[in-house]
Amino acid sequence: MKEKTIDYILRATWQAVARMYNEEASKYGATMSIGFALLSIDKEKGISSTALGPQMGMEPTSLTRTLKSMEEKGLIVRKKNPIDGRGVIIHLTKLGREKRDLSKETVLKFNEVVKQHVSQEKLDHFIEVAEVINNLIAEKQVYSEGKQETETTKIK
């Protein structure tokens, strides 16, 4: 292609970010998925396994594999839900909390470095564009017939 498309730029950028996070996580015997899961689990209350998947945008099979790995590494423990005994609440162990803090530092460092190289105005525009793309997809306005552009999705 002569010109890079929006989806190409998004995909290539996300793949680069994922590769960077996986390289960093591998230094600690982890993966980006484990780091993201650690950040998604409430330090004090934990999280139900049914809420974690949608929050992370992970398929059940991938989530199960990630949680199994985290349990084997001693990062989490699963406890019966005291309100609904059929469910499970995932809690961080002491090691899990330590690794969660490390994951948080890693994400904040990435944000800090990007902010050193991109003006706040450009970053605000980037966030705005990303929100528009997400809204267009959520509202099925990309491939649905007869949908017109709305003021909420239009950037001026």
Side-chain angles (χ1 to χ4, degrees), residues 120 122-134:
Q120 188 60 49
K122 286 183 179 181
L123 196 53
D124 290 343
H125 287 301
F126 171 76
I127 292 166
E128 185 180 356
V129 170
E131 287 172 352
V132 169
I133 291 169
N134 281 317

Side-chain angles (χ1 to χ4, degrees), residues 1-16:
M1 263 192 259
K2 229 180 193 185
E3 252 180 68
K4 290 182 181 175
T5 60
I6 294 167
D7 76 304
Y8 173 86
I9 295 165
L10 289 170
R11 187 174 54 252
T13 302
W14 176 246
Q15 287 173 344

Side-chain angles (χ1 to χ4, degrees), residues 42-85:
D42 186 282
K43 283 169 78 167
E44 307 305 322
K45 302 175 193 169
I47 190 168
S48 72
S49 55
T50 54
L52 184 58
Q55 184 172 321
M56 291 181 58
M58 282 182 92
E59 295 297 322
T61 308
S62 298
L63 179 62
T64 300
R65 194 170 35 252
T66 299
L67 292 176
K68 184 176 186 230
S69 175
M70 292 173 74
E71 201 166 28
E72 289 169 355
K73 293 175 187 296
L75 301 171
I76 61 166
V77 291
R78 301 178 206 219
K79 298 179 183 175
K80 278 194 172 197
N81 186 333
I83 298 167
D84 179 358

Side-chain angles (χ1 to χ4, degrees), residues 21-151:
Y21 277 141
N22 274 316
E23 284 175 17
E24 190 63 23
S26 72
K27 295 175 186 175
Y28 305 97
T31 63
M32 181 186 73
S33 293
I34 289 174
F36 190 30
L38 289 168
L39 292 170
S40 300
I41 299 170
D42 186 282
K43 283 169 78 167
E44 307 305 322
K45 302 175 193 169
I47 190 168
S48 72
S49 55
T50 54
L52 184 58
Q55 184 172 321
M56 291 181 58
M58 282 182 92
E59 295 297 322
T61 308
S62 298
L63 179 62
T64 300
R65 194 170 35 252
T66 299
L67 292 176
K68 184 176 186 230
S69 175
M70 292 173 74
E71 201 166 28
E72 289 169 355
K73 293 175 187 296
L75 301 171
I76 61 166
V77 291
R78 301 178 206 219
K79 298 179 183 175
K80 278 194 172 197
N81 186 333
I83 298 167
D84 179 358
R86 297 171 296 173
V88 173
I89 304 289
I90 299 161
H91 292 275
L92 296 172
T93 62
K94 182 179 185 224
L95 178 62
R97 285 191 294 279
E98 290 171 8
K99 297 294 183 183
R100 182 185 192 280
D101 290 342
L102 183 60
S103 295
K104 185 176 178 180
E105 287 173 27
T106 302
V107 170
L108 292 175
K109 172 72 174 173
F110 172 69
N111 277 267
E112 177 186 312
V113 171
V114 170
K115 287 179 177 183
Q116 290 171 0
H117 292 84
V118 179
S119 71
Q120 188 60 49
E121 181 182 9
K122 286 183 179 181
L123 196 53
D124 290 343
H125 287 301
F126 171 76
I127 292 166
E128 185 180 356
V129 170
E131 287 172 352
V132 169
I133 291 169
N134 281 317
N135 287 336
L136 288 169
I137 294 167
E139 295 169 9
K140 301 197 183 304
Q141 290 188 323
V142 178
Y143 296 112
S144 295
E145 296 294 321
K147 294 263 183 173
Q148 296 296 318
E149 185 178 80
T150 65
E151 285 302 311

